[in-house]
Amino acid sequence: MRRTSLALAMVLVLLVAGSALAGTATGSGYQRRGAPGRNAELTSTPLIVPAGVTATITDVTCDGDGFWIEGPVSASFSTGAEAIGFRLPSGTYRFYPNLKEGQFPQQKAMVSVTATWP
């Protein structure tokens, strides 16, 4: 009886510890076209991956022409779908959308990136 209780308590501790490590985080970015050095705007709310884990990008919403990542790992993507599955080691990441060019250039864009870890 005592061994069963001890084994059950150990399993419970392992389950609680494992679920405490699991997580989800979201970061976002915004770009507004303007005169360089005057009123253009580039801002980001960072996504933080805790020490000791690697997160995987699971969702991206982007109304620009793709986006780029700045952090311990940097990358750029032509579409949000292209980034799904990309892995982010622990650290702080910032995301910025690319503005669409062409005859009628896009004036502002945003990106939101969600990543999860086990």
Side-chain angles (χ1 to χ4, degrees), residues 17-96:
S19 66
L21 296 175
T24 300
T26 300
S28 61
Y30 173 80
Q31 183 174 180
R32 183 175 58 83
R33 190 180 303 275
R38 302 186 98 193
N39 61 350
E41 186 178 353
L42 193 61
T43 60
S44 178
T45 300
L47 180 151
I48 299 170
V49 179
V53 300
T54 298
T56 301
I57 294 177
T58 55
D59 188 47
V60 177
T61 302
C62 182
D63 64 0
D65 196 10
F67 69 101
W68 76 93
I69 301 171
E70 291 181 357
V73 173
S74 296
S76 58
F77 301 95
S78 300
T79 66
E82 185 182 324
I84 303 298
F86 189 79
R87 297 174 58 86
L88 302 169
S90 55
T92 301
Y93 294 89
R94 295 187 179 279
F95 306 94
Y96 301 100

